[in-house]
């Protein structure tokens, strides 16, 4: 049964690529198995072939499938020590440029983007910064662009903000009602949200800092190499790359093209 499941899984991913030009063929098989099994339960399909028929013939079903193919789990100032390291290691160098470009790859629902915008404002850098925020999930991008999050998440966001070295109060940056918190639209003025796939698309050029956290862990080795090659190509000389806590450049083809600045926080600098 496992062998048949994997055959059908390959056919599904190939079909998705040919039909919708979204390429998940280089994603880690173990992760794809779990996500497709969850989708089968959701769509009440006994086999992947049944799921494939719905996905290929009903674009609305594929739009829902993107929620299973992509992981939308984040929070503002997630891993506060990472953002503290950005303040201490990366920002002082970024301040030496007349203008800076930053890229949050795989931005999900935008929590990291808004966090980064707040950090840059507090460091008096946002006014000369442009942040590219990209993802392959259009629903996630729309949610990210609104900057609206449930009020019951704000306590954790605020705790992370303080631990990350925030210089004020997170409440300085949002207004709230009974249910939601809406972040300051002036932060949004320095962000460009765009659809972008690390599996199929080219790069943004002359970027000074890239943050791509908890994305590479879902890629197989070949796709990790493609993504890190894109990052190397996009970064200016001596530009910075931040990865997730469980990710590393160590075994990628680009390992020799970067120096490790902070091993704990997975911050690298392009040679």
């Amino acid at each position: 049964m496992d062998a048949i499941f994997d055959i059908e899984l390959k056919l599904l991913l190939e079909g998705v690529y040919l039909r919708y030009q979204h390429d998940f063929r280089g994603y880690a098989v173990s992760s794809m198995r779990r996500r497709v099994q969850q989708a089968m339960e959701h769509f009440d399909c006994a086999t992947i072939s049944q799921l494939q028929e719905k996905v290929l013939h009903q674009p609305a079903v594929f739009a829902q499938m993107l929620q299973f193919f992509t992981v939308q789990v984040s929070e503002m100032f997630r891993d506060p020590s990472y953002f503290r390291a950005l303040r201490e290691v990366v920002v002082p160098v970024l301040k030496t440029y007349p203008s800076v470009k930053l890229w949050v790859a795989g931005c999900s629902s935008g929590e990291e983007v808004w966090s980064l915008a707040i950090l840059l404002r507090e460091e008096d850098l946002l006014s000369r910064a442009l942040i590219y925020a990209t993802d392959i999930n259009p629903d996630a991008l729309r949610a990210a662009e609104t900057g609206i999050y449930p009020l019951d998440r704000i306590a954790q966001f605020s705790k992370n903000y303080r631990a990350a070295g925030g210089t004020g109060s997170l409440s300085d940056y949002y207004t709230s009602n009974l249910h939601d918190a809406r972040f300051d639209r002036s932060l949004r003025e320095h962000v460009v949200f765009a659809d972008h796939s690390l599996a199929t698309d080219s790069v943004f050029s002359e970027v000074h800092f890239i943050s791509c956290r908890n994305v590479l862990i879902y890629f197989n080795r070949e796709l990790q190499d493609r993504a890190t090659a894109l990052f190397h190509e996009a970064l200016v000389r001596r530009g910075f790359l931040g990865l997730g806590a469980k990710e590393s450049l160590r075994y990628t083809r680009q390992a020799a093209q970067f120096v490790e600045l902070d091993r704990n926080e997975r911050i690298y600098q392009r040679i």
Side-chain angles (χ1 to χ4, degrees):
M1 182 62 70
D2 287 342
I4 295 175
F5 187 96
D6 285 348
I7 291 171
E8 290 191 316
L9 177 59
K10 289 181 180 179
L11 292 173
L12 171 65
L13 300 183
E14 187 69 28
V16 165
Y17 175 66
L18 294 174
R19 175 74 169 85
Y20 299 104
Q21 291 75 55
H22 279 272
D23 194 353
F24 298 100
R25 297 172 299 175
Y27 281 53
V29 173
S30 59
S31 176
M32 277 289 113
R33 285 179 184 141
R34 291 193 301 271
R35 299 186 205 180
V36 169
Q37 285 174 335
Q38 292 169 357
M40 289 167 60
E41 294 174 6
H42 177 79
F43 292 106
D44 194 24
C45 295
T47 65
I48 298 181
S49 293
Q50 292 178 7
L51 178 63
Q52 177 176 290
E53 182 178 6
K54 291 185 177 183
V55 169
L56 297 186
H57 290 277
Q58 302 177 48
V61 172
F62 172 69
Q64 295 179 60
M65 274 297 297
L66 279 176
Q67 311 311 314
F68 294 93
F69 281 145
T70 59
V71 177
Q72 307 297 325
V73 179
S74 189
E75 58 188 33
M76 291 194 72
F77 295 95
R78 180 182 182 183
D79 301 322
S81 57
Y82 173 79
F83 285 91
R84 185 177 286 276
L86 295 186
R87 287 184 187 268
E88 297 173 355
V89 177
V90 175
V91 167
V93 178
L94 296 185
K95 285 183 175 180
T96 66
Y97 293 97
S99 63
V100 292
K101 293 180 182 178
L102 306 95
W103 177 15
V104 180
C107 71
S108 185
S109 47
E111 290 89 339
E112 180 154 334
V113 178
W114 291 92
S115 302
L116 191 57
I118 289 171
L119 185 155
L120 294 176
R121 172 163 288 178
E122 292 187 346
E123 296 295 330
D124 196 28
L125 191 53
L126 185 61
S127 62
R128 47 196 173 102
L130 179 63
I131 304 172
Y132 298 111
T134 66
D135 203 275
I136 62 171
N137 187 324
D139 289 341
L141 282 173
R142 282 190 288 270
E145 195 165 1
T146 67
I148 300 174
Y149 300 101
L151 199 60
D152 60 9
R153 301 185 67 195
I154 295 299
Q156 183 61 51
F157 290 177
S158 297
K159 179 180 178 182
N160 291 348
Y161 167 78
R162 292 191 296 271
T167 60
S169 170
L170 190 63
S171 61
D172 296 336
Y173 301 101
Y174 67 82
T175 57
S176 62
N177 56 34
L178 291 176
H179 306 290
D180 301 308
R182 180 189 294 268
F183 280 82
D184 187 347
R185 300 303 293 175
S186 66
L187 299 170
R188 166 71 179 83
E189 295 172 3
H190 300 272
V191 184
V192 174
F193 290 93
D195 181 289
H196 182 276
S197 171
L198 294 172
T200 58
D201 293 333
S202 56
V203 300
F204 299 92
S205 61
E206 299 296 301
V207 177
H208 300 84
F209 171 68
I210 298 172
S211 189
C212 182
R213 300 200 297 148
N214 307 306
V215 174
L216 298 184
I217 55 173
Y218 298 110
F219 292 174
N220 64 20
R221 181 59 54 81
E222 182 180 354
L223 188 50
Q224 287 179 4
D225 283 338
R226 185 188 197 280
T228 52
L230 289 179
F231 298 152
H232 180 266
E233 182 181 349
L235 285 168
V236 300
R237 186 174 179 274
R238 312 302 292 174
F240 299 93
L241 171 65
L243 300 179
K246 296 181 180 180
E247 298 168 332
S248 173
L249 291 180
R250 184 172 302 173
Y251 301 110
T252 67
R253 293 176 183 170
Q254 283 69 43
Q257 307 302 318
F258 290 84
V259 294
E260 191 175 58
L261 292 184
D262 190 319
R263 177 169 296 183
N264 291 332
E265 304 307 329
R266 301 296 197 271
I267 296 175
Y268 300 84
Q269 189 171 32
R270 182 189 188 278
I271 295 175

